[in-house]
Amino acid sequence: MLPAPALAQAYQCSVPRQIAPVRPLTPDGPVRRTAIAGYTLSASWSPDYCKTSGDTRSMQCNRASGRFGFILHGLWPEAARGPSPQWCGAQTVPSPQVLRENLCMTPSPGLLAHEWAKHGSCMVASPQKYFRVSAILWRSIHWPDADRLSRKRDLTVGDLREEFVAANRGWPREAVGVQISRTGWLREVQLCYGKDFRPARCEARQFGPSDSTPLKIWRGL
């Protein structure tokens, strides 16, 4: 039996019959082959991305193939101190089959290819293994109902962290990072792991604003 696909927090997801070819990637920074001390699993709040990017044609935003809540942005290796490892391997593009298998988790072929080349190549030898590890972690998470939470009066970042730890037994609050825009809109949730893939305290840059910070969640659904 084939493993079940890992899905985004999708209201629906239908993989297109064809996907546009992904062009070879050009690194957006230097090669850094540093030792890995932990990981970050970053989940984007899709309605906010679609609003702020103006993207109306992609699978993620056009609604023809799906309607998404949280999607996997990427799994990132982290260094013990200083900049993270990146762009460690040859900039090969994952096969169309591998991309299609993961589009309901990350509904963007270009983003999947970028995350493998920039981050995954520093972790494992193949895109298949990188996405397999990402999917295992992704399937282990229970995402809070952000649509419902968005309607809470005087919503704060702490309310979102509280909902997350309530849905995920064993996750400490200090391992749940939240990224918001300058105007207070939810952008991403960044989950912090140690080298053993167990929840670990986030660094300040990952943890984000304090629990008392006001929060807004764009529904757009």
Side-chain angles (χ1 to χ4, degrees), residues 149 152-161 211-215:
L149 190 61
K152 184 179 185 300
R153 186 174 181 180
D154 298 325
L155 180 66
T156 66
V157 169
D159 292 327
L160 175 56
R161 289 194 177 106
D211 282 352
S212 61
T213 304
L215 177 66

Side-chain angles (χ1 to χ4, degrees), residues 6-13 41-50 60 66-74 102-108 111 138-139 141-150 155 157 159-161 163-165 167-168 176-180 185-191 215-219 221:
L7 304 178
Q9 188 193 41
Y11 296 87
Q12 65 187 58
C13 178
L41 189 77
S42 185
S44 295
W45 179 240
S46 190
D48 185 80
Y49 166 78
C50 293
Q60 182 176 348
R67 299 176 67 186
F68 301 98
F70 285 108
I71 69 158
L72 177 63
H73 181 167
N102 292 282
L103 278 175
C104 284
M105 179 172 68
T106 302
S108 167
L111 179 57
W138 186 254
R139 282 195 294 261
I141 298 299
H142 299 283
W143 291 100
D145 185 344
D147 182 275
R148 177 186 57 79
L149 190 61
S150 71
L155 180 66
V157 169
D159 292 327
L160 175 56
R161 289 194 177 106
E163 289 275 334
F164 184 90
V165 298
N168 295 273
V176 183
V178 178
Q179 303 299 314
I180 65 176
W185 293 96
L186 174 65
R187 289 282 176 83
E188 295 199 341
V189 173
Q190 295 187 350
L191 304 179
L215 177 66
K216 296 177 286 185
I217 301 176
W218 179 260
R219 293 188 293 275
L221 297 172

Side-chain angles (χ1 to χ4, degrees), residues 15-90:
V15 177
R17 289 177 177 268
Q18 295 183 329
I19 59 175
V22 175
R23 297 178 179 178
L25 296 164
T26 301
D28 59 3
V31 172
R32 287 198 295 264
R33 295 186 178 93
T34 54
I36 296 174
Y39 301 90
T40 299
L41 189 77
S42 185
S44 295
W45 179 240
S46 190
D48 185 80
Y49 166 78
C50 293
K51 175 191 70 171
T52 57
S53 68
D55 180 0
T56 59
R57 302 179 63 183
S58 71
M59 175 181 172
Q60 182 176 348
C61 300
N62 68 13
R63 300 193 180 189
S65 298
R67 299 176 67 186
F68 301 98
F70 285 108
I71 69 158
L72 177 63
H73 181 167
L75 175 62
W76 308 332
E78 302 289 353
R81 59 179 61 85
S84 303
Q86 63 177 22
W87 301 110
C88 296

